Amino acid sequence: MAIGYVALVLHAHLPFVRHPESDYVLEEEWLYEAITETYIPLLKVFEGLKRDGIDFKITMSMTPPLVSMLRDPLLQERYDAHLAKLEELTELEVEHNAHNGHIRYLAEHYATEFNEARQIWESYKGDLVTAFKQFQDSNNLEIITCGATHGYLPLMKMYPQAVWAQIQVACEHYEQTFGQAPRGIWLPECAYYEGVERMLADAGLRYFLTDGHGILYARPRPRFGTYAPIFTETGVAAFGRDHESSQQVWSSEVGYPGAAEYREFYKDLGWEAEYDYIKPYIMPNGQRKNTGIKYHKITGRGLGLSDKALYDPYWAREKAAEHADNFMYNRERQAEHLHGIMQRPPIIVSPYDAELFGHWWYEGPWFIDYLFRKSWYDQGTYAMTHLADYLRAQPTQQVCRPSQSSWGYKGFHEYWLNETNAWIYPHLHKAAERMIEISHLEPEDELQWRALNQAARELLLAQSSDWAFIMRTGTMVPYAVRRTRSHLMRFNKLYEDAKIGKIDSSWLEKVELMDNIFPNINYRVYRPLT
């Protein structure tokens, strides 16, 4: 019998980026890269584990923006064309490097990889949501929800209706997608504030994830720290991130992804190849970009990009197996130690961004595959579990009040509220006030009904924490600023038109086409809570 549990939790999220008004927008490729490098490789791992009789257990959030984009026919069509370009480029690379042995070997590796991606993509007819759902139906994957647009909840708590809309719209979208109510929620950015658990309970959620110090500094101090969930006073359970297992994967200093054998992310064919050769495969305006084809390995710390050695997938896969074995060994020792102290089965919660596995850390899906296989065959100290299953097996937990927290820099809210992005919040707060105000309107006709619902969509899209995050990181800032401003401007026009009862129908139709998330939304979700 296992004396402990390990819960691997992946957070699959991307902001809603969809531009039918343009033939090409670079930011749409965030989705295409994640499909090729993370979501399809994860499905390949799950299929292999299932085929080989390994009863794996993994939890994964699939946020409403991601689900909406994965199911969007326009984006599916554009991804298909994106993948075709990659297939064409790798075929060209194989031919171009006929007399360059190692590069040809790597080009053939990518050609095989993209061909397998094509097979998986077509086997599910481009519907990866249904692909993941089949593993939920077999109880191998537990899919949980998130905020409707990943809004940063502690920074909107002065408007409880806005927080409620983020939670309720997400739960309704989940049920429409997966045919059942969600049991758990990944709080956006793992950001918790006291009182949000009441809304989670009202929405029917059983548990949420937060950062470790949100549990460690709960009142009273939890007896078992982060190694058991706590129940809030509403009955909703809180699971905290385990620092030790997180550091082994996340840390830039000691984490696995920094190994010399692994693929170098920042040295890409799109920047390395001769311009005339690569031009058909970069941006239409001729600017270079990443292609996803990378021929070099990390090699060693402190080396410049020009000093990187050639990558070898064989040795990288061996290193991934070694790291999976190390992760397993450490979780065994951790579970033994904790069980000896707690005298009950601990749970080690290991949450990560899903896109770390495959996109940022190319070998990440191999690591997951090896970890499940080794955990299944090579040890009996811990069992992999879903969070909901753990709660069913361990229904008695300490009641505490978690502490405000997030998993961002310094652990609170500073990353999303600082000198780079503070300007957005007065506008977001005013828009929330206005949305609450017009939620009391009763539409006179279908046109006004559509306008009120679109206003709710625009506010939700403006509230995405991704825009503030991007402004803070300093990458793609103009796009984040533009998205925040455009959604707010659209919202304010809809507000003003709804107030006077004159809706610009042709303009509304264009906006509905562009921002078509949550087709079944009801603007009354913003009415004051009772």
Side-chain angles (χ1 to χ4, degrees):
M1 289 289 291
I3 59 172
Y5 297 91
V6 173
L8 189 63
V9 188
L10 303 184
H11 179 46
H13 167 67
L14 289 170
F16 188 75
V17 178
R18 177 183 176 275
H19 291 280
E21 75 280 10
S22 300
D23 291 333
Y24 178 84
V25 174
L26 176 64
E27 288 78 8
E28 278 190 357
E29 295 195 3
W30 295 344
L31 174 67
Y32 310 151
E33 290 171 356
I35 290 173
T36 305
E37 298 168 1
T38 294
Y39 309 141
I40 285 178
L42 284 175
L43 285 169
K44 184 180 173 184
V45 168
F46 295 168
E47 288 176 350
L49 293 170
K50 190 77 175 171
R51 180 188 61 241
D52 294 342
I54 296 169
D55 189 23
F56 67 98
K57 303 288 184 184
I58 187 169
T59 301
M60 189 166 87
S61 70
M62 294 189 72
T63 68
L66 176 62
V67 168
S68 300
M69 291 188 294
L70 287 174
R71 286 211 149 157
D72 186 84
L74 173 69
L75 295 178
Q76 290 173 339
E77 181 182 328
R78 289 182 174 181
Y79 172 72
D80 198 86
H82 172 87
L83 182 58
K85 278 275 191 183
L86 286 177
E87 292 172 304
E88 182 183 305
L89 179 56
T90 51
E91 289 175 13
L92 191 60
E93 278 291 282
V94 170
E95 181 183 330
H96 186 69
N97 292 285
H99 303 295
N100 189 342
H102 197 100
I103 297 291
R104 181 185 173 93
Y105 157 63
L106 289 170
E108 289 172 342
H109 166 78
Y110 284 116
T112 300
E113 182 176 274
F114 296 145
N115 180 256
E116 290 175 351
R118 167 70 63 189
Q119 291 174 9
I120 292 173
W121 174 255
E122 292 184 349
S123 71
Y124 293 110
K125 299 181 174 61
D127 186 359
L128 299 189
V129 176
T130 295
F132 282 110
K133 182 179 180 295
Q134 70 178 336
F135 294 105
Q136 169 146 289
D137 294 341
S138 65
N139 200 37
N140 295 111
L141 172 66
E142 180 176 11
I143 302 175
I144 61 176
T145 191
C146 189
T149 56
H150 217 264
Y152 196 85
L153 304 184
L155 296 181
M156 58 178 80
K157 68 177 182 179
M158 63 288 294
Y159 300 103
Q161 298 94 322
V163 177
W164 173 250
Q166 283 280 344
I167 295 167
Q168 181 63 15
V169 170
C171 289
E172 290 173 356
H173 185 266
Y174 181 101
E175 193 160 358
Q176 292 156 10
T177 302
F178 297 106
Q180 63 186 61
R183 289 177 288 198
I185 184 169
W186 179 294
L187 289 180
E189 315 295 3
C190 290
Y192 168 84
Y193 73 90
E194 190 168 327
V196 73
E197 63 271 23
R198 168 50 59 194
M199 295 190 206
L200 301 181
D202 290 345
L205 292 157
R206 290 287 296 114
Y207 68 84
F208 63 92
L209 283 108
T210 188
D211 200 69
H213 64 284
I215 305 296
L216 293 174
Y217 294 102
R219 305 184 307 279
R221 287 287 182 91
R223 182 180 180 189
F224 301 123
T226 59
Y227 301 112
I230 58 174
F231 280 123
T232 64
E233 292 168 349
T234 65
V236 178
F239 288 89
R241 175 167 67 152
D242 168 52
H243 174 75
E244 183 179 328
S245 60
S246 294
Q247 186 184 44
Q248 282 187 284
V249 175
W250 274 123
S251 172
S252 60
E253 297 298 321
V254 299
Y256 299 138
E261 293 86 349
Y262 289 151
R263 192 180 77 163
E264 171 59 59
F265 178 83
Y266 293 102
K267 197 171 173 66
D268 186 279
L269 184 65
W271 300 93
E272 302 282 320
E274 291 183 4
Y275 183 75
D276 289 339
Y277 172 81
I278 201 67
K279 187 177 179 181
Y281 305 99
I282 52 178
M283 295 172 64
N285 65 4
Q287 287 185 311
R288 290 181 181 264
K289 69 176 183 68
N290 283 351
T291 63
I293 298 173
K294 306 171 196 289
Y295 290 145
H296 296 81
K297 61 182 179 179
I298 292 171
T299 310
R301 295 189 183 276
L303 292 177
L305 290 180
S306 60
D307 299 319
K308 304 290 185 177
L310 289 174
Y311 177 66
D312 192 327
Y314 175 85
W315 292 111
R317 186 182 280 273
E318 290 293 302
K319 179 57 73 169
E322 179 186 318
H323 280 152
D325 190 66
N326 178 261
F327 190 90
M328 178 186 74
Y329 174 84
N330 284 315
R331 300 294 77 74
E332 287 183 278
R333 303 292 81 77
Q334 196 176 6
E336 289 168 350
H337 173 70
L338 292 167
H339 187 268
I341 296 171
M342 295 168 59
Q343 296 300 303
R344 55 175 282 177
I347 182 168
I348 300 161
V349 180
S350 304
Y352 312 100
D353 275 338
E355 288 74 27
L356 170 67
F357 297 88
H359 176 63
W360 297 106
W361 178 21
Y362 179 70
E363 297 78 13
W366 298 343
F367 170 86
I368 290 176
D369 189 32
Y370 283 126
L371 176 61
F372 277 116
R373 291 176 186 275
K374 289 174 179 293
S375 296
W376 181 257
Y377 288 115
D378 297 348
Q379 62 84 44
T381 306
Y382 66 81
M384 304 293 280
T385 187
H386 296 151
L387 301 178
D389 288 350
Y390 181 87
L391 284 175
R392 277 192 290 269
Q394 306 287 333
T396 304
Q397 304 292 345
Q398 189 176 354
V399 177
C400 305
R401 293 183 179 181
S403 170
Q404 280 209 54
S405 54
S406 83
W407 75 342
Y409 177 63
K410 296 187 181 178
F412 292 98
H413 314 314
E414 180 179 327
Y415 210 84
W416 294 270
L417 178 60
N418 54 72
E419 68 280 2
T420 69
N421 51 35
W423 65 270
I424 70 176
Y425 293 102
H427 301 287
L428 292 175
H429 295 339
K430 186 63 178 179
E433 285 180 13
R434 287 181 155 194
M435 189 66 234
I436 294 164
E437 177 191 345
I438 60 174
S439 72
H440 293 279
L441 294 178
E442 290 300 332
E444 297 176 3
D445 53 31
E446 183 191 356
L447 191 61
Q448 192 175 25
W449 168 261
R450 284 166 48 200
L452 290 166
N453 286 336
Q454 192 61 37
R457 293 187 190 99
E458 297 300 334
L459 175 56
L460 288 170
L461 288 168
Q463 289 172 331
S464 169
S465 71
D466 302 276
W467 312 137
F469 182 87
I470 291 169
M471 291 174 204
R472 175 63 180 82
T473 59
T475 60
M476 315 297 277
V477 172
Y479 182 77
V481 170
R482 187 165 67 250
R483 286 293 302 273
T484 303
R485 287 177 172 166
S486 63
H487 292 305
L488 285 168
M489 286 190 293
R490 289 170 197 163
F491 171 82
N492 285 322
K493 177 171 170 54
L494 289 161
Y495 165 81
E496 290 161 3
D497 289 357
K499 286 279 287 182
I500 63 174
K502 291 185 178 179
I503 309 300
D504 184 338
S505 59
S506 60
W507 178 84
L508 174 61
E509 192 172 333
K510 291 175 185 175
V511 173
E512 287 175 325
L513 176 66
M514 287 189 289
D515 299 333
N516 66 348
I517 196 170
F518 307 127
N520 299 316
I521 197 170
N522 186 329
Y523 72 95
R524 296 187 180 102
V525 73
Y526 280 95
R527 288 186 175 179
L529 306 173
T530 56

